[in-house]
Amino acid sequence: MTTDDISGMGPLVARLSRGGQRLRQADQAHPWVLDTAVVVLVFLMFCLPDLLHGVVDDGDEPRRFRLAFTQLPVAGILVLQAGLVLPLLWRRRKPVAAFGVIAAVFVVQWSLGAALRADIALFVALYSLALHGQLRQLPWACAAMAGAMALVAVRASSAVSVWDALFFLLSTATAALALGLMVRIRRAQLAGLRERAARLEIERDQRSRLATATERTRVAREMHDIVGHNLSVIITLADAGAYATDIAPERGKEALQLIGDTGRQALGELRRVLGVLREAADGPRGGPELSPQPGIADIEALCAKVRAAGLEVVYRTSGDVDALDSGVQLTTYRIVQEALTNTLKHTDTGTRVHLAILVEDSRLNIRVRDTGSATPSGPPNEEGHGLVGMRERAALYGGTVSAGPTGGGGWSVEAVLDLTPQGGDR
């Protein structure tokens, strides 16, 4: 077979597959149609010739073969054929009962010494039992089948050798049994594949929903950090600018400029964060280039904005902080941003803040301490979303976050991140 022949079989196989699927759907909707069709087919192919032979003896068979069996009247043939063929109507719903009735009629028929072409119904019943019945019933059916075949071989001994007849009959029965088991195994495999495909589809949908929920959580956390910090700075600058308008107009103008710069930076960060929610199918969009995610290098600019809002920030680092990966740097920036935002919210102008970022071996320490008086805004024993967000970020790197008042009346936030690479290698 050439390559062209193989490729040409593709559409044919597809059409046959679609045709088989339509037949299965029709059979599920009207199962009696197929069962009736099988009975009609068996009658036309195997019963009708016996009836015609019983009426008109054309003498096609060898004389020895015709003399070995009893010639029944048409009425007797019809009764035996009905007992052999009609039980096939429930061969799929009650395969054991159908096989038992057909086997009993088969034994009665051969006890009378009659040979009918409708005996093929016994092999069809055995096939149906192997396909639709319970497997524990097959040994009893095989034993009954072997006994029936032995009876046929003995009855036909005057026309053919017993062993030859027994070999042919048992081979045919074995073929029917093997075919039924093969189709049964194939259907079980296909059912298993369909179940596995459905399970994989469900798992895929669950992973997609989980990834969507995770991304939404990340976006919500980013928006909380961006909006919370920048709004705090803007509000503080606005209050300071309103106060300075009458006393020092130039300071009021400077505060307005800082408010504009802070608002534009917040808008740019929000655009970058919300960009992950856009459909990728829209293609690249025009517009200004978005800045990368902030890192430790941007903390100095963050401190400058906080200083402009009225706080005194002392910032220092220790260790090779620039060598940290972008994820750790983003986490550090957001933790520092949230801590400074809380200081802006809950302390007065002129508060001194000590900020330290220390890299020690495989640990990163973040310390934010202020000298202002802590005035929590929420109910007692209730943590704000900012502290929860900081702990979630630190947990991504096996770290912890602790926050609470200091002995001098201020507030302290300390975070420790584990820099040990997962898996032991980098």
Side-chain angles (χ1 to χ4, degrees), residues 33-341:
V33 174
L34 180 59
D35 295 335
T36 304
V38 170
V39 171
V40 171
L41 183 64
V42 172
F43 175 80
L44 293 177
M45 293 183 62
F46 301 101
C47 297
L48 192 58
D50 281 337
L51 292 175
L52 297 177
H53 177 74
V55 176
V56 180
D57 188 1
D58 52 10
D60 288 340
E61 295 86 352
R63 180 176 180 80
R64 186 180 63 171
F65 185 81
R66 285 187 282 118
L67 293 176
F69 302 105
T70 303
Q71 296 297 322
L72 297 176
V74 175
I77 294 176
L78 280 174
V79 171
L80 292 175
Q81 287 179 346
L84 290 171
V85 176
L86 290 181
L88 294 179
L89 288 172
W90 63 84
R91 64 183 181 87
R92 293 190 293 178
R93 283 170 291 278
K94 297 181 179 180
V96 178
F99 177 82
V101 172
I102 294 175
V105 175
F106 183 87
V107 171
V108 171
Q109 169 208 321
W110 281 96
S111 298
L112 297 175
L116 298 175
R117 293 181 177 88
D119 291 338
I120 192 70
L122 183 62
F123 299 99
V124 177
L126 180 63
Y127 162 82
S128 301
L129 178 60
L131 178 57
H132 303 288
Q134 298 180 3
L135 294 179
R136 67 171 183 270
Q137 298 168 340
L138 284 180
W140 301 101
C142 292
M145 193 74 177
M149 296 301 100
L151 175 61
V152 175
V154 171
R155 279 293 186 177
S157 59
S158 59
V160 66
S161 171
V162 174
W163 297 110
D164 292 342
L166 194 60
F167 174 78
F168 173 77
L169 294 171
L170 291 179
S171 298
T172 306
T174 302
L177 180 65
L179 181 61
L181 291 176
M182 183 187 68
V183 176
R184 183 188 189 118
I185 294 173
R186 180 60 177 169
R187 288 185 179 179
Q189 291 175 343
L190 292 177
L193 290 176
R194 285 192 293 267
E195 181 181 357
R196 183 172 182 270
R199 185 170 62 251
L200 290 176
E201 185 176 358
I202 294 174
E203 292 177 356
R204 182 199 62 191
D205 294 340
Q206 290 176 343
R207 286 195 299 268
S208 177
R209 288 193 293 268
L210 181 60
T212 301
T214 302
E215 185 64 19
R216 287 178 178 175
T217 302
R218 187 189 71 81
V219 171
R221 187 166 55 237
E222 292 286 336
M223 291 180 63
H224 172 269
D225 294 340
I226 294 169
V227 175
H229 170 76
N230 288 286
L231 282 181
S232 297
V233 173
I234 289 172
I235 291 172
T236 304
L237 289 173
D239 292 340
Y243 176 76
T245 299
D246 298 332
I247 301 175
E250 67 279 0
R251 295 300 300 273
K253 180 180 179 181
E254 181 182 355
L256 291 176
Q257 291 176 345
L258 289 173
I259 289 174
D261 293 339
T262 302
R264 280 188 292 272
Q265 181 183 358
L267 181 60
E269 292 185 0
L270 284 175
R271 284 176 176 172
R272 181 185 64 248
V273 172
L274 295 177
V276 301
L277 300 179
R278 295 178 180 175
E279 293 291 340
D282 294 341
R285 296 177 178 266
E289 183 180 358
L290 299 179
S291 60
Q293 290 279 25
I296 294 179
D298 301 296
I299 293 181
E300 184 60 46
L302 179 65
C303 294
K305 291 197 301 181
V306 175
R307 292 189 187 102
L311 299 183
E312 181 181 355
V313 181
V314 179
Y315 171 48
R316 70 183 181 92
T317 62
S318 175
D320 191 4
V321 294
D322 295 331
L324 300 175
D325 61 59
S326 59
V328 175
Q329 293 202 29
L330 175 61
T331 298
T332 303
Y333 181 90
R334 293 306 185 196
I335 291 176
V336 171
Q337 184 183 49
E338 182 62 31
L340 294 178
T341 300

